[in-house]
């Protein structure tokens, strides 16, 4: 016999479920411009993707370098220019600052994007995961773009 909930109890349960889902829906409100298109991005999914990076990279201003450089202001400074970190010859300030496009290509397959770099990471083949991570990095490294509703 099916369970029948009183209408008031059903409405409360539905409202509680909607409230739980609301933060995820708001986090998905970002878009990131990559390769000339606006890709949807989710900050929480980007934060989870960054867990693959955090063994080697720190994000906050003033944190130390690990195996890889601290990424604070990575979109505002030339590549290969974090003070106190020794980069491979493949990553030089002449590359300019990282952009959404250049980081997207790099994160897809670092060894192919910049041959000779020391980053031992296979990459993120999923374009949606890269968009999520780029949106998260923009927020977490002191860059206000993209402006995402939370």
């Amino acid at each position: 016999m099916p369970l029948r909930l009183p209408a008031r109890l059903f409405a409360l349960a539905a409202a509680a479920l909607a409230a739980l889902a609301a933060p995820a829906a708001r986090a998905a409100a970002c878009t990131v411009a990559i390769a000339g298109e606006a890709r949807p991005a989710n900050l929480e999914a980007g934060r989870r993707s960054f867990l693959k990076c955090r063994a080697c990279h720190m994000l906050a201003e003033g944190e130390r370098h690990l195996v890889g450089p601290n990424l604070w202001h990575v979109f505002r400074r030339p590549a290969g220019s974090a003070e106190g970190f020794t980069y491979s010859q493949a990553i030089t300030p002449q590359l300019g600052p990282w952009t959404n496009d250049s980081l997207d290509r790099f994160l897809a397959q670092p060894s192919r994007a910049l041959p000779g770099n020391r980053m031992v990471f296979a990459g993120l083949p999923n374009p949606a995961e890269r968009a999520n991570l780029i949106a998260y990095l923009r927020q977490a490294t002191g860059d206000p773009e993209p402006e995402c509703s939370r």
Side-chain angles (χ1 to χ4, degrees):
M1 186 157 107
L3 177 66
R4 294 188 182 244
L5 295 176
R8 176 77 177 135
L9 184 57
F10 181 78
L12 287 172
L17 287 173
L20 288 173
R26 285 196 300 269
C30 293
T31 57
V32 179
I34 298 174
E37 64 182 48
R39 293 190 193 169
N42 180 301
L43 290 174
E44 177 56 24
R47 184 194 65 76
R48 288 191 309 270
S49 290
F50 182 75
L51 296 176
K52 298 172 184 177
C53 313
R54 75 177 183 176
C56 297
H57 295 282
M58 303 291 269
L59 296 175
E61 183 176 21
E63 289 183 318
R64 64 189 172 92
H65 301 300
L66 299 174
V67 173
N70 179 306
L71 299 177
W72 181 253
H73 281 174
V74 69
F75 294 99
R76 296 184 185 187
R77 58 177 163 83
S81 68
E83 190 175 322
F85 186 80
T86 304
Y87 290 87
S88 57
Q89 292 179 354
I91 301 178
T92 67
Q94 288 74 26
L95 293 172
W98 288 104
T99 64
N100 293 350
D101 292 345
S102 64
L103 192 56
D104 183 61
R105 284 189 302 274
F106 184 74
L107 290 172
Q109 193 174 11
S111 62
R112 188 174 185 186
L114 286 173
N117 82 78
R118 291 189 317 242
M119 189 162 137
V120 288
F121 179 66
L124 300 173
N126 183 322
E129 184 176 9
R130 293 193 309 270
N132 293 336
L133 180 57
I134 290 168
Y136 174 73
L137 287 174
R138 286 239 175 230
Q139 295 286 313
T141 62
D143 195 316
E145 289 189 28
E147 291 188 18
C148 303
S149 59
R150 295 181 192 231

